[in-house]
Every structure is written in structure tokens, then in C-alpha cells.
Amino acid sequence: MRTQGNSQPHLQRAALRHTCRNRIRRRTRLPVCTAQLTKELWLTIMLCHGGAVRAVRFNADGNYLLSCGSDKSLKLWGVSRGTLLKTYSGHGYEVLDADGSYDNSQLCSCSSDKSVILWDVASGQVIRKLRGHAGKVNCVQFNEEATVILSGSIDGTVRCWDTRSRRFEPIQVLDEAKDGISSVKVVQHELLTGSVDGRVRRYDLRMGQLHVDFINSPITCVCFSQDGQCTLSSSLDSVVRLLDKSTGEMLGEYTGHKMKSYKLDCCLSSKDTHVLSCSEDGHVYCWDLVEGSLSLKLPVGKAVVQSLSFHPTETCLLTSMEGCVQVWAAEPEETQDEVTMAT
Amino acid sequence: MASDSEEDFVVYGTPLEPLDEDEPLKKPIPLHEQTVKDEKGRYQRFHGAFTGGFSAGYFNTVGSKEGWTPSTFISSRQQKAENHNARPEDFMDEEDFSEHGIAPSQITTSQEFSSGCRDEVREKTRAVISQMALIPGDNLLEELITPARLSIGVELLRRMGWKEGQGIGPRVKRKLRQRQKEGGARVYSCALPHIGSEGSEDDDDEEFAPENVTFAPVDVTPVDFSPRSGVQGLGYRGLNPGLALLGHGAAEHINLFNPESETRSQLFGNAQKTSRKGRISGQAFGVGALEDNDDDVYHKDSMTRYDTVLGGEEPGDGLYGWTAPQQYNNRRDTSKALSYLGKIPEGFTVALKHTKEKMIFPPPVLPPDFRPVHGFHPSLLGTTAVSPALRQALATSRGHMVKEEPQQGGRHQLDSSQRRALLGEDVLHSSSSVMELLRPEDRQRLYNLHNDSKTTSAKCQNAIHPSGSVTRSTVVSLTQPLPQSCSTPSSSLQEDSLASWRGVQSSTHTFRPFVKNPSKQARYEQFLSRLKHGDKDAVEQSLDPGMTEWERSRERDEFVRASILYQPTSSSLSSRFTVAQHQEDDDAVEVCRDEEGAVDNKQAAVKMKMFGKLTREMFEWHPDKLLCKRFNVPDAYPGSGVVGLPKVKRDKFSVFNFLNVTESREMTAPLKPPEMRKKSRWDVSEQEELDKEDELPTSASTASPNSISDQTQAQKRKEDDKEEQQKEEEEEEEVVVSRPPMDLFKAIFASSDDDSSSSEVESEEEDTKEGEGKNDLHPLNLFNVPSTSVTSSITSCSSQKTVVFSQTSMQEEFGPSLPPPSGTDTRGGATSHYSSSTEDKQRKKNKEKKVKKKEGKHKKDKKKKKQKKHKHKEKHQKKSKEEESSDEDSEGHVSTEELLKRLKSIP
């Protein structure tokens, strides 16, 4: 059943990958598709989280957003109106990353208090508090079916926690990294981890293989492309690199931003047309994926843009700077009058 | 949980109604209300059990108060009263017809449709009637004249073309019919199966049977599956007293084991019935002069008549299953019996299948010039064959062998030679044998005795080892007669050991069983070396001549056993296996089998931007089974117990195990050129970590690890010591360059983790209060409000300084740091929907851009300062404060927060 279901998307992906590569190789010849992001993004909503926002994430369908930060809480907002829906508090120290399950029923978050917490969305209760990391936990992610939580920590391990059983030990500890894990991503049966030892590791569960790509600079963030054929990694040498997943070849290199000392996010747009990265100079840089040219330099503020997240389907961007979360959309909504909501 | 457990049970009966605690308790029904009613609501009263159970009706009456309802007889001219026959049903209640009544009415097949089987009730009644009839046995006549009425089944069959005497089923051709008729009755040879013989038979009959003529199948009587009613065993019929009285079974003893006699006769009419009737015979009455039959007075039963196996054999045709009629089975039996000519012994049956004959191969044809003499190959002879004379000489000269040095050890572990050496005695050459101590005549006698025994033992050895006996007999010498005769069983072992050790060259990996006793081990090794050369009397030669006979024989046995036990593996095996280089113990450490390769190549590749093969490495990685399950992915390595990267055990103390790691670390260190990017705090710590972890003398670190640990200890000691704080800080300045590893910090400060965080919370709260207070007065001084950032912790109470410092160092030890939060939002929580008027936005953006330029500058300054933070802590603290405040003064009014405020104020 599963293989049947996969076969079709797989072909599509293969085709997409092909075109993607071709686009990059025949950069000069092909007419480059100009995407939505060349237009200005408009700030639509500004949310004040309180305390520095460490991560801002869309949920699976993009209707809600999660922000977490140094006020030890995790907040759930509605994207369209900017309503604060729920605050999840239970961490003992600042919350560094969060993720929502595919069915929006559960949240997971990780914190400097070395713990990972699985939340029930509706009740706001802690379903499980997973301890085991030796240091602060930098990143956390559900797998596709929300059966496993993956958390990467400064202790250099990625721990795979089981959400189904009552076991409090991780299913497996991936301790291949020689330094702290800064970013973890999961797509289907592949785990992508970025480590401070300057390597991007891809664990292929189906094949039982580990691919290590050497980047030579501490990795701050890794991403899979939407078609699942490329990996994006930003590192502290202020370069965002797009690598081919299967061979490790570099397909694109994006520079211009500033990422030298802080752990900042990068991401791809929903249609794999653009590469976005935070910058320490208070801008979000947006490059055309194929051309590698800077297509947009979005001024967010004067401080460091720490986290960003792109809407899974629409042209909508979340950024976080200091204590605020900004929602950027392609078109300003004129009908909305200013609505102020106190938290 | 509860529902789950309920689902697990199977519930019988109707459950009790759940107790409702809210309901008031039901009052018990008073006695006078406890009445019994029938279905129609009539009261029923109980009589005693012996007086009829339920009452018949109203006040013990039938239907009226009087006890009965009188029937009325009305007859008029118009309506004549019918002659009413009273039936028993008329006097019965309807309850009586019910299932549990006295005359239950039920649906039965009418006689018309009932089969031919007898109706028991009717027969009973008829029997009763016949008894009462005028002429007893009247009904016999009636039975003779059966009504010409057939059961419906027979009628249906007839309409389908069935005739009496035919079997039921589709019509068959002659062949099958023949087969059915014949069965296996006529078989010509025992070996051939039925079909073949029948085929030949059919060929003969073919001419008489045209193709298109079909025959009805043979009428087969079905097996009657009458259920067992008694407690007798299977197949037991019991005596029929009627038969016995009739004298029918008396003559030939009633056979309980041949059911045919009864059932068959009953079913097929009595064709086999004996004609004798009406005779009374037996022991009780004697045998008359005219009577000839007296042989079977006492019946003898034999065990062959009993079944020893349940089930019985299957009929081979496959036409019928195990329900095949008995005559069918029996016929087969007779055919078998016929096929075997001889008398079958009791308990045996003739085999159904012929056993396959064994193939006997003829012996090979000998070439004409074959000589039945075996000769060894000359090359073998050269190495192994030692002349008997030489062997003899060697055996006798063993008295002058090796002298072992005395071995220190327990008194009881020493052998005689060692004791002798300890005592300083001379070697007793003469007393090497007991024989020499004996008188000559005794010796002679013993010798004779021994010779006899030797010859016998040699004989028996001859029988066992005809090839080796010759050489062994030469070994036997007079000087050691007793042990030799004793060790006859061990000599065969000797042979084995010789065979296994001969020609083995490499002796490096052999096990040394007598390590504790070096002299013994030396002797053993000597023995082994001799064995390797194919020396037959290796044991005798390598033993210590100074030992007593008993010790020697014991050692001989030991050596031979040990040599067999630790014999070298044969060459084919030994080529496949190697001796384990490292035994499993604590000295080994698990190391990843595949280590990530050297970094310098990769670095070069990265510099040249040649990502791909050069920077890519692939390892075998085993995901956990459960993880695969959770990811819905088949296990890539089913059956492997490995999880993660496959590991191998290596020597713990080998430097090479860690060489790879250190190399990679060392490579990462120099790759940070200062002009490429600024040294972040992280970089420093990485370098430190590097220095800590490889404590190899080769990697020269700036500070020795010992000094670091000392310093940290000192740090711990002086934590609460105010006097030495200044010194401490100076020390810390040095420490900054080389910080101890993470674990140490954890060990020291792990407990203080929570405290510090809580204290920070407090400080934070205080600060926020302060900030709020200040905010009104100095709205621009926003950056001063600290939260968890480094600067904030510095500004907090000085008593906490060391702890806080450690904490911050912990945070900054690994990885890229998190950007510092600004103080503007600590009050937090305000959500604002931004107005989307383009004018506003344009305005705001312009402003922001301005801000950004300045901010960028400012940031750089900040960062520089942060780097130097540890060195100039105090200064920095002040400075930063000042600077920030000054910065804020100059440009703070354009912050986003401020903008928001302004927007809010706009109506």
C-alpha cells in the first residue's frame, strides 16, 4: 500500500529534481521563472511574544504559528488575525525550538533545561517530559506521523523519542556528531542533522546508510528542499549552500548576509523557488534558488533576525527578532483595520 | 483501561442490573402478594410436591368454583347433536400439550413420508395387541402381508429409473463395473498392483462389452452408524440370548469378533446360515452316540482376533473412504493372504508395498598385475621411519636427559626431582627401576609373568591396531615393564597424539598447559617437538628419568592427554581461523569501524568549492528496529543486532584509536583564518575543548591540563571566599584562554543549575520592575533591561558572580550562540495588528533603514567587546552600560516598539 502510494510522488520528485538541476546548470539559457518573492513582502502582523523569541514555526497546514522564547513558554497563535490561542508553560528555561504534529494534536518543544516536552494542544497539558540530553536541546522535530520526536542537543546527540510507548528512554541515540547538534530535520524516512563540527549528516533509515557532507564551518541550520532532493545548510561562514542530496554536489551558494556568531535559521520557499536566510544585520535575505542572485532583502529590524519560517503553501513568511514575531505576506490586507490584542 | 478489561471477559448469563445507589431500597413484596399466575393470568396455587404440584384451577377446581364446568347437551330438531367422541385431549389442559407437559405435541413426519425404518412405538403397540389377541402370534400374518406402500424415497428413486437390486448413482461403463465387481479378488501376482492385472483382464473382456452400454452401479449396503448404547468395547456385539437358545450359536461358538455373522446375515438374507437348528448340545448335556460334533466345546480365543491398532487399514482403491463396506475390506485382505504363499506368523501382516531391492555393486575388477602388498612412499619413509634399533637405544639412554632447576612453590607441588634438588641429593641412577631392587629369582619370576601378560596385551592390540602393533612391541623394553603393561589403554592415545602432531611445523600458537611448572612445561614442549618429528616414543624420551615410576607414568598420561586436547587444528581449518589476538577483557574499547576520513583533503575541496565525492562520506548505519517500525520503513538490516554505526573492539590503550579523532580536531583548528571571520566565543571554546580532549604530548596546548584542573579546583574552593576573589579573577583571566572540559563544570555546578536560574528569574523580575518603573521616566533606556543575557547576569548581584560566570560559560561553550534578546519586550505580550496603510509603511521603512545602518555599526562594536568580555569584565560591564545608554539616547526613539506606540496613538 505504501509503496503504491509512494510511487507516483516519487516519479514527480524525480522529474522535479531533474528540472531543478537543469535550471541550475543551464542558468544562462533558460528563462528564469520569476516568483512571487520578487515583489515586496508586506508586514501584516506583529506579535509580541515577551522575551526573546528563539524560534517561530508554522504548523503543518500553516494556519497557526508557534513561537517560543526566553520567557520559558511556547505560544500558539492564529496566523490570519494574530490571536494568541494558547500559552504552554512548563519548561524550566528558555524554549529553543518547537514543532507541531501533522494532525495538530500535539506539540513538541525543547529547551535549555535539557528536556523535551510533548504537549497536548487543546488542553495545554504536558503529555510527556523527556529527559536524557546532557546539555541544552537546540532543535526538535516530529517525524511525519508524529510517532517519533527527534531532538538535537548541544551534547552532540540526536535522540529519537517514542511518542507511542510509555518508554522514557530514547529509541535510539545518534551520537555520530563530534560536536553539538544545531539543527534536525525529518522528511519521510530521512533525518538531516547539522552539527557544529561542520558536517551535515543524513541518515537514511530505509537504506540504512549515513551520508556525511563536510562543510567545514559550524552548521547553524539545515533544511530539505520541498522536493526532497536537495539539502540546504547555512553555516557560520556566512554562506548558505544548496547540496544535492544523493551526491553531495553543491548546486548553489548564497552569500551576502551575515551569519558569523549566532545560530540563525534558513529555509526554502514553499515552491523551492527561493532561498531565505536570517542575517545578523536585521534583514532577511532572499535569493533566487536557481540564479543565486539576491532577489529581496527584507528589512525586519535593527537587531538580529533569529528565526524564520516559510508558509508550507502560501507566500507567507514568519520572522522573529528579539521579542517580536513578524508575519509577512505577499499582499497587504487592506480590509483589516488595526486590531490590537493584548496578551 | 476499564473498558479494555471488560472486553477481555466472556460473560455468561444475564448480568444483574447495576445497582443504583441513588434509588431508594425496594420494599420486599409482602407474602400475600407473592402469587403465581399462569400465562393467562389465572392464579395458581401450589400444592405440596406429593399432591400434584399446581392446582388444576380455580380453588382447586377445573374451571369453576364448584370444581368443574358441566358440559351441556343440547339437541334440537334443527340442530342434531353430533355423536361426540371424547378424546383424551378433551380432558387435558393446554399446559399439558406444551413442551414440558405430560403429552407434548410435536411435529413429526407423517407415515407417508417416513422411511422404511420401523416405528418403535407402533411396534410396541402391535406387540401388546398381539399378546392380547385371541391367537397369539396373530401379527405374524400381518407382517407377512405388508401393505403395498413404499416410502416416498423409494418412489422417487423408481421414477428416476432405479430398480430393485441396483445400486444408486450414475450409470457406469463395463470397465468400472467390472472392477467394482471383481474388486481385488483375483490378483495373479503379489507384486503387481491391482490396476495392471485388471487392465489385462479388461483387454480380454473388451470384445464382449460395446462402448455405449452402461450398467448400473453395484448395490452397496451402507454402513449402519448405529450409536453405541452400552459400555462395551468397540465392535463388541454381546450375546444374543435368542440365538443361544435356538441352538444356533451353540454349535459353532458364538463369535463376538465377526460382526458379519450377525449383521451380514440380517442384511443379505441368511445365505451363510447353517442349517442346524433345534439341537441342544454342549457339555451340560453330554454328547450323544450319534452326535459327531464335539470338538468345539471350549472355545479358544486368540489375540490375533483383537485389533492392536486403532483405525484399521485403508482400502486402496480410493473408491470408498473409511466408511467402505466391510466385505470390500475383507476382500482385499483375502487377496493379500492369497498373494503370500507361506504361513504368516502371528502378529505379522503381509506388506502392501514391495521393499526396494538393495543395489549391490560388484567389487571392482582387479588389474591382472595386482599384488596385495602395501608399500609406503619412499619420501614418507625417510621422515617417519626410525629404525627399531635406534629407538631402543634412545629408550635406554633416557636416564641422562635434562636436569631441571628447582622450582619454588608449594611442597606438594614439587616432584621428586625437585625435592631431590632441594635436598641436595644425588640422582639415583641405579634405582630407576624397581626391578633392580628385587632379588634375581624374583625378578626372573616377574619377568616371566610380565612376558605372558605382554604377549596377551600385544595380541589384543594386534586385533585393534594391526598396523601399529609392530612398532609398539619394539618400544616395550625390559627396563620399564610395569608401566608399559599398565599403559596399554593410553598407548592408543599416544598413537592419536602422534598422528595429530606429526608434521606440524608452527608451534607459536600452541597452548601451554603447564605454565605454572616450567620444568614440566619444558618437558612437555620437548615431548611435543618430538611428536612433531614423528617420534613414536616421544613420551618416554621426554620424561624426567629422575622421577619415580609412578610419577613418570602419571606425567606420561598427562602429556599424552594434553597433546591430544590441545592438538593443532588441521591445516584446512587452521587456514580459516586465526588465533584471537585480543582476548575480551576490559582493556578493549569499542571503536567505530568506519572512522571519518582525514579532513585536510576535504578542506581543500571545500575551499575549491568542489563539493561532492571529496566531501561526501557514506557509512553503514543501522537504525533501531523500533525506529524503523515507527517510521513505517522496512528494516534495512534485518537480523542484525547492531544499532548505529558498526563498532569493533580495539585495545583501549592504543594511541591509534584516537588518532583519527584528534587529527580531525586538529585540522579544524587551523582552518579558521582570522580574516575570514571574527573569532566568536564559540571558536575559543572549541579550541579549548580540543586541547582538553587530546591530552597527547604531541599536541602542544597553551596550558597544561594539570594546571587547568588545579585552577578549577581552586575556583571551587574559593567560590565563597571573598578575600581571594581578586586573585581568583586574575586566575580566571588566565583560564579564559584554556577552559576545562564541560564535564568538570557539570560536576561542580550541576546542582546550582536550578538555583541560578531561579535567582535569575528573581533578578529578572526585579529588573523588569525596575524597567517598568524607569520606563516612564526614561523611555529610551530600553536596552538596559536585562533578561538572561550575559550582560544581564553580569549586572546582577556581585555575590553570584562566579556562579553566573560559570553558567554563561556553559552556555557559550558549544555551538553558535543565540542572539541576545533585547530588553524592550520583556514586558511583552502586546499583540498589534499592523495598519496597512502604505504611507505609514513607507515612512516606517525609511526610518528603519536609517536605524539599521547605525545599528549595524553599533553591533560590531558590541561584538568586539563581547569577545574581550572575560578579560575586562568589570570594565566592559560599565562601558556597555554607558555605551548602550548613550546609543539609546541618540537613536532609541526609532525602535519598532516606539513605532507601535505611535501607531496606537493614532486614532
Side-chain angles (χ1 to χ4, degrees):
Chain A
M1 238 172 84
R2 199 181 157 73
T3 48
Q4 279 178 357
N6 272 350
S7 63
Q8 197 58 28
H10 181 73
L11 284 174
Q12 285 175 358
R13 259 185 279 131
L16 238 170
R17 177 192 175 196
H18 193 67
T19 53
C20 187
R21 272 191 191 164
N22 277 357
R23 259 194 264 159
I24 284 158
R25 281 174 193 161
R26 300 180 211 159
R27 199 173 283 178
T28 48
R29 268 179 276 165
L30 270 176
V32 180
C33 72
T34 49
Q36 321 95 313
L37 282 189
T38 48
K39 287 184 256 172
E40 286 272 301
L41 278 171
W42 301 96
L43 181 67
T44 55
I45 306 169
M46 191 142 154
L47 312 164
C48 288
H49 182 93
V53 178
R54 292 308 182 196
V56 57
R57 302 278 178 254
F58 273 112
N59 78 326
D61 56 6
N63 292 330
Y64 303 96
L65 70 91
L66 286 164
S67 66
C68 56
S70 57
D71 65 346
K72 306 169 194 174
S73 73
L74 178 68
K75 284 180 177 169
L76 178 70
W77 312 79
V79 171
S80 58
R81 295 181 67 87
T83 328
L84 176 65
L85 301 171
K86 195 106 189 165
T87 303
Y88 303 88
S89 44
H91 274 298
Y93 213 62
E94 61 178 344
V95 188
L96 295 178
D97 198 4
D99 192 25
S101 68
Y102 73 101
D103 56 353
N104 294 332
S105 67
Q106 290 177 332
L107 303 176
C108 61
S109 64
C110 62
S111 163
S112 294
D113 65 0
K114 308 173 191 173
S115 71
V116 174
I117 292 186
L118 180 67
W119 305 89
D120 183 55
V121 170
S123 65
Q125 296 295 309
V126 176
I127 299 173
R128 209 151 296 171
K129 192 162 188 176
L130 306 159
R131 298 167 195 276
H133 278 297
K136 65 175 185 179
V137 189
N138 275 331
C139 46
V140 73
Q141 183 104 12
F142 274 116
N143 74 332
E144 216 165 14
E145 291 164 339
T147 51
V148 177
I149 296 173
L150 295 133
S151 62
S153 163
I154 205 165
D155 66 0
T157 61
V158 173
R159 277 163 207 261
C160 311
W161 308 94
D162 196 354
T163 61
R164 292 289 164 90
S165 72
R166 285 167 176 271
R167 217 161 60 137
F168 282 90
E169 293 85 45
I171 303 171
Q172 191 172 1
V173 179
L174 316 177
D175 54 356
E176 282 77 28
K178 301 219 167 47
D179 213 323
I181 303 288
S182 55
S183 179
V184 165
K185 290 282 155 37
V186 194
V187 165
Q188 290 182 345
H189 57 272
E190 287 175 316
L191 320 180
L192 192 69
T193 66
S195 169
V196 183
D197 64 0
R199 287 176 176 83
V200 176
R201 291 179 175 78
R202 183 167 61 85
Y203 299 87
D204 193 327
L205 266 92
R206 194 180 279 275
M207 302 297 290
Q209 284 173 343
L210 164 63
H211 301 267
V212 182
D213 283 320
F214 186 68
I215 302 291
N216 196 15
S217 174
I219 308 292
T220 57
C221 185
V222 286
C223 287
F224 276 110
S225 63
Q226 307 295 325
D227 63 359
Q229 296 305 317
C230 305
T231 62
L232 191 74
S233 60
S234 64
S235 53
L236 284 187
D237 53 358
S238 296
V239 181
V240 179
R241 292 182 179 86
L242 184 74
L243 302 180
D244 188 281
K245 192 183 80 176
S246 54
T247 61
E249 289 167 29
M250 190 163 75
L251 301 176
E253 198 180 25
Y254 310 96
T255 52
H257 64 298
K258 186 182 162 201
M259 193 189 288
K260 301 221 177 220
S261 53
Y262 296 137
K263 179 191 165 305
L264 308 180
D265 284 356
C266 66
C267 70
L268 282 152
S269 68
S270 59
K271 301 217 165 51
D272 279 346
T273 53
H274 287 80
V275 173
L276 295 105
S277 174
C278 298
S279 174
E280 288 170 20
D281 58 5
H283 286 72
V284 168
Y285 284 71
C286 178
W287 299 270
D288 190 285
L289 180 127
V290 181
E291 287 196 14
S293 60
L294 188 69
S295 61
L296 183 67
K297 191 176 166 188
L298 190 70
V300 179
K302 60 185 190 302
V304 179
V305 186
Q306 188 179 3
S307 179
L308 87 170
S309 175
F310 207 88
H311 195 281
T313 50
E314 292 162 27
T315 309
C316 186
L317 180 71
L318 297 179
T319 58
S320 77
M321 177 186 279
E322 295 180 333
C324 289
V325 175
Q326 295 87 11
V327 183
W328 307 80
E331 289 164 17
E333 294 172 52
E334 299 288 340
T335 51
Q336 292 277 334
D337 281 325
E338 113 184 13
V339 181
T340 314
M341 272 160 250
T343 49
Chain B
M1 285 288 281
S3 63
D4 285 357
S5 59
E6 271 174 29
E7 280 168 14
D8 291 339
F9 294 114
V10 177
V11 181
Y12 290 103
T14 51
L16 290 169
E17 278 180 24
L19 278 172
D20 207 341
E21 289 180 2
D22 299 338
E23 262 181 36
L25 284 171
K26 280 178 185 170
K27 277 182 185 172
I29 305 160
L31 254 182
H32 62 271
E33 281 178 27
Q34 292 181 5
T35 50
V36 182
K37 293 175 184 176
D38 64 0
E39 298 119 42
K40 292 186 175 171
R42 294 177 297 206
Y43 283 102
Q44 290 196 318
R45 273 189 290 163
F46 288 107
H47 291 201
F50 299 102
T51 51
F54 287 119
S55 65
Y58 188 53
F59 283 116
N60 233 352
T61 60
V62 178
S64 66
K65 208 171 184 179
E66 289 78 30
W68 42 270
T69 317
S71 63
T72 49
F73 180 81
I74 301 164
S75 182
S76 66
R77 210 180 280 172
Q78 283 80 29
Q79 275 189 316
K80 290 268 181 180
E82 290 165 40
N83 192 15
H84 184 255
N85 283 337
R87 291 182 296 132
E89 282 83 358
D90 294 337
F91 303 100
M92 288 159 78
D93 289 329
E94 52 264 17
E95 289 96 342
D96 297 331
F97 301 118
S98 67
E99 195 182 352
H100 303 292
I102 53 169
S105 59
Q106 51 192 347
I107 295 165
T108 49
T109 47
S110 68
Q111 205 179 7
E112 200 176 332
F113 291 97
S114 65
S115 60
C117 75
R118 303 166 293 169
D119 191 359
E120 280 180 27
V121 184
R122 273 186 62 197
E123 276 189 2
K124 261 185 199 168
T125 53
R126 208 183 292 166
V128 171
I129 290 162
S130 69
Q131 290 296 319
M132 294 193 300
L134 289 172
I135 311 157
D138 184 29
N139 59 332
L140 284 173
L141 241 172
E142 228 172 280
E143 271 186 2
L144 279 175
I145 310 158
T146 49
R149 188 152 47 87
L150 292 163
S151 71
I152 192 84
V154 174
E155 214 154 311
L156 280 170
L157 274 172
R158 274 191 174 166
R159 282 191 196 170
M160 287 164 75
W162 176 77
K163 288 192 184 84
E164 300 268 350
Q166 284 182 349
I168 299 163
R171 296 176 75 80
V172 291
K173 287 189 176 177
R174 183 176 174 77
K175 250 191 202 174
L176 194 59
R177 167 140 189 170
Q178 280 280 331
R179 199 179 300 156
Q180 282 184 348
K181 218 179 187 180
E182 309 276 328
R186 275 195 283 165
V187 179
Y188 298 124
S189 71
C190 60
L192 285 168
H194 304 295
I195 303 157
S197 63
E198 276 171 10
S200 64
E201 194 185 52
D202 284 344
D203 288 341
D204 300 341
D205 296 343
E206 201 78 320
E207 50 206 276
F208 301 109
E211 278 289 305
N212 53 355
V213 174
T214 54
F215 295 87
V218 180
D219 192 11
V220 177
T221 49
V223 182
D224 54 332
F225 293 96
S226 53
R228 289 221 59 78
S229 53
V231 290
Q232 301 92 352
L234 282 174
Y236 182 80
R237 290 263 158 184
L239 289 172
N240 192 344
L243 284 174
L245 282 172
L246 283 168
H248 162 56
E252 43 165 320
H253 192 88
I254 302 153
N255 192 356
L256 300 175
F257 294 95
N258 193 6
E260 224 179 324
S261 61
E262 260 180 83
T263 51
R264 259 333 89 111
S265 60
Q266 278 169 9
L267 285 165
F268 295 107
N270 29 20
Q272 311 128 312
K273 253 186 191 169
T274 48
S275 56
R276 283 202 230 154
K277 274 180 187 175
R279 273 232 234 127
I280 297 168
S281 61
Q283 198 188 18
F285 302 97
V287 179
L290 294 172
E291 284 177 303
D292 50 351
N293 186 10
D294 59 346
D295 46 356
D296 200 17
V297 175
Y298 301 107
H299 176 72
K300 277 175 191 167
D301 210 358
S302 72
M303 282 307 288
T304 49
R305 290 163 167 245
Y306 292 90
D307 276 341
T308 51
V309 179
L310 263 180
E313 62 265 77
E314 299 228 333
D317 277 342
L319 280 170
Y320 308 99
W322 60 276
T323 57
Q326 274 163 332
Q327 98 257 25
Y328 191 79
N329 285 339
N330 290 342
R331 226 182 280 158
R332 283 174 42 77
D333 288 344
T334 52
S335 77
K336 261 185 271 163
L338 277 171
S339 67
Y340 183 70
L341 294 173
K343 192 185 174 189
I344 300 167
E346 239 178 58
F348 284 85
T349 53
V350 180
L352 289 170
K353 284 180 185 173
H354 231 249
T355 50
K356 271 190 180 178
E357 280 187 17
K358 275 183 187 170
M359 284 285 280
I360 296 162
F361 297 98
V365 182
L366 291 172
D369 57 340
F370 177 77
R371 278 173 66 237
V373 177
H374 183 67
F376 287 100
H377 198 266
S379 64
L380 280 172
L381 276 172
T383 54
T384 55
V386 182
S387 67
L390 175 63
R391 202 171 292 124
Q392 188 93 24
L394 283 167
T396 49
S397 69
R398 80 198 137 67
H400 318 278
M401 292 295 291
V402 204
K403 274 186 195 170
E404 267 83 25
E405 283 165 31
Q407 164 70 26
Q408 296 299 326
R411 188 160 54 88
H412 302 291
Q413 285 157 8
L414 300 172
D415 57 14
S416 66
S417 67
Q418 287 164 337
R419 278 197 296 273
R420 183 181 64 222
L422 282 176
L423 292 168
E425 284 178 348
D426 289 331
V427 180
L428 292 168
H429 289 290
S430 56
S431 64
S432 64
S433 171
V434 193
M435 300 296 279
E436 287 168 24
L437 301 172
L438 297 172
R439 281 177 296 168
E441 51 272 79
D442 290 339
R443 203 186 303 163
Q444 187 62 36
R445 210 180 53 203
L446 264 176
Y447 179 54
N448 288 340
L449 255 173
H450 167 65
N451 262 1
D452 289 347
S453 67
K454 196 177 67 184
T455 45
T456 51
S457 70
K459 268 177 198 165
C460 73
Q461 275 173 21
N462 260 340
I464 303 161
H465 301 284
S467 61
S469 62
V470 185
T471 49
R472 201 182 304 108
S473 58
T474 57
V475 177
V476 176
S477 65
L478 271 177
T479 47
Q480 37 156 339
L482 284 172
Q484 182 63 26
S485 59
C486 296
S487 67
T488 40
S490 73
S491 60
S492 64
L493 288 177
Q494 239 167 291
E495 289 272 315
D496 290 350
S497 68
L498 184 62
S500 62
W501 281 90
R502 182 184 297 174
V504 175
Q505 295 307 321
S506 62
S507 61
T508 49
H509 296 310
T510 51
F511 182 66
R512 313 170 93 216
F514 308 110
V515 187
K516 284 179 182 170
N517 192 342
S519 63
K520 200 173 178 182
Q521 177 65 30
R523 265 174 282 156
Y524 177 66
E525 274 166 15
Q526 196 183 2
F527 162 66
L528 283 188
S529 68
R530 279 170 201 233
L531 270 185
K532 280 170 200 162
H533 290 112
D535 208 340
K536 300 250 170 180
D537 49 353
V539 201
E540 316 306 329
Q541 289 168 21
S542 49
L543 291 182
D544 183 16
M547 289 194 300
T548 60
E549 280 300 327
W550 181 76
E551 280 176 331
R552 212 182 296 158
S553 68
R554 211 179 56 168
E555 202 167 274
R556 185 185 299 117
D557 283 357
E558 267 181 85
F559 280 7
V560 170
R561 290 241 172 78
S563 67
I564 287 168
L565 209 64
Y566 307 113
Q567 68 185 21
T569 47
S570 63
S571 60
S572 62
L573 271 179
S574 59
S575 65
R576 296 191 183 193
F577 295 98
T578 53
V579 178
Q581 295 294 323
H582 308 285
Q583 290 185 356
E584 281 198 335
D585 50 10
D586 295 342
D587 291 345
V589 68
E590 281 199 334
V591 174
C592 282
R593 192 182 65 188
D594 313 305
E595 200 62 51
E596 281 174 11
V599 193
D600 43 0
N601 288 340
K602 288 185 210 160
Q603 271 181 320
V606 168
K607 268 182 189 167
M608 294 162 71
K609 295 184 179 176
M610 286 174 64
F611 287 92
K613 278 182 186 174
L614 292 171
T615 57
R616 161 72 55 113
E617 274 175 309
M618 206 195 74
F619 304 103
E620 186 182 311
W621 176 71
H622 295 246
D624 195 278
K625 268 182 193 168
L626 186 60
L627 196 67
C628 286
K629 205 173 144 191
R630 290 279 182 268
F631 271 82
N632 245 336
V633 158
D635 197 351
Y637 303 97
S640 87
V642 188
V643 171
L645 295 176
K647 296 194 170 180
V648 284
K649 280 212 166 183
R650 281 198 202 149
D651 199 358
K652 199 191 248 171
F653 301 110
S654 166
V655 185
F656 297 101
N657 286 335
F658 305 101
L659 219 60
N660 273 341
V661 185
T662 54
E663 192 181 38
S664 67
R665 297 260 167 129
E666 276 176 344
M667 296 328 287
T668 48
L671 68 84
K672 291 164 221 141
E675 73 280 353
M676 194 172 147
R677 58 191 172 89
K678 270 180 231 161
K679 258 193 162 188
S680 66
R681 275 158 291 174
W682 146 242
D683 286 340
V684 176
S685 63
E686 187 192 48
Q687 191 120 25
E688 271 26 278
E689 194 180 84
L690 206 177
D691 292 336
K692 297 300 105 36
E693 285 195 19
D694 46 2
E695 293 183 342
L696 293 168
T698 51
S699 68
S701 59
T702 50
S704 70
N706 287 337
S707 69
I708 293 157
S709 60
D710 285 348
Q711 281 161 359
T712 49
Q713 279 172 1
Q715 218 173 326
K716 190 183 172 187
R717 247 185 284 125
K718 293 165 187 173
E719 222 172 296
D720 39 4
D721 217 334
K722 289 245 173 178
E723 287 180 350
E724 295 177 16
Q725 202 151 17
Q726 292 297 323
K727 276 185 192 175
E728 176 62 22
E729 275 172 10
E730 280 171 16
E731 270 190 328
E732 272 181 5
E733 277 172 28
E734 293 167 15
V735 174
V736 164
V737 190
S738 55
R739 199 170 294 141
M742 186 66 190
D743 296 329
L744 204 59
F745 273 114
K746 265 186 219 158
I748 298 165
F749 297 114
S751 59
S752 69
D753 226 347
D754 298 340
D755 300 347
S756 64
S757 69
S758 64
S759 71
E760 275 188 9
V761 174
E762 285 166 23
S763 68
E764 200 176 297
E765 283 172 1
E766 284 175 339
D767 287 331
T768 47
K769 276 178 197 168
E770 275 183 312
E772 277 171 10
K774 277 177 190 171
N775 210 23
D776 300 330
L777 301 171
H778 314 282
L780 302 179
N781 192 7
L782 292 168
F783 279 151
N784 228 1
V785 185
S787 65
T788 58
S789 71
V790 183
T791 49
S792 72
S793 54
I794 290 165
T795 50
S796 61
C797 316
S798 62
S799 62
Q800 289 179 356
K801 200 181 285 171
T802 48
V803 180
V804 170
F805 166 70
S806 72
Q807 176 114 29
T808 52
S809 69
M810 262 172 73
Q811 285 175 359
E812 289 155 21
E813 185 111 22
F814 300 99
S817 58
L818 296 163
S822 79
T824 45
D825 305 311
T826 43
R827 280 158 293 130
T831 313
S832 58
H833 211 100
Y834 226 79
S835 77
S836 51
S837 66
T838 42
E839 292 170 22
D840 272 9
K841 261 181 193 157
Q842 284 305 108
R843 187 157 49 94
K844 191 194 77 191
K845 262 174 197 165
N846 292 338
K847 274 180 184 172
E848 273 181 356
K849 270 175 191 170
K850 277 182 197 168
V851 171
K852 233 146 261 167
K853 278 177 188 171
K854 284 179 182 176
E855 179 70 6
K857 251 189 184 174
H858 171 61
K859 277 251 153 175
K860 276 178 190 172
D861 294 348
K862 253 186 172 175
K863 229 155 273 158
K864 275 179 190 169
K865 249 145 244 161
K866 264 176 198 164
Q867 274 193 328
K868 295 172 185 172
K869 185 198 67 180
H870 296 299
K871 283 183 182 173
H872 314 283
K873 223 176 176 182
E874 298 279 291
K875 281 182 190 174
H876 173 69
Q877 190 185 336
K878 286 174 189 170
K879 262 191 185 177
S880 64
K881 265 188 181 177
E882 286 166 10
E883 272 185 22
E884 275 171 9
S885 60
S886 66
D887 281 346
E888 283 306 300
D889 283 332
S890 62
E891 58 184 44
H893 53 91
V894 256
S895 71
T896 48
E897 193 66 30
E898 199 61 20
L899 276 170
L900 273 174
K901 271 185 184 170
R902 282 184 205 173
L903 279 167
K904 278 176 203 167
S905 62
I906 294 167

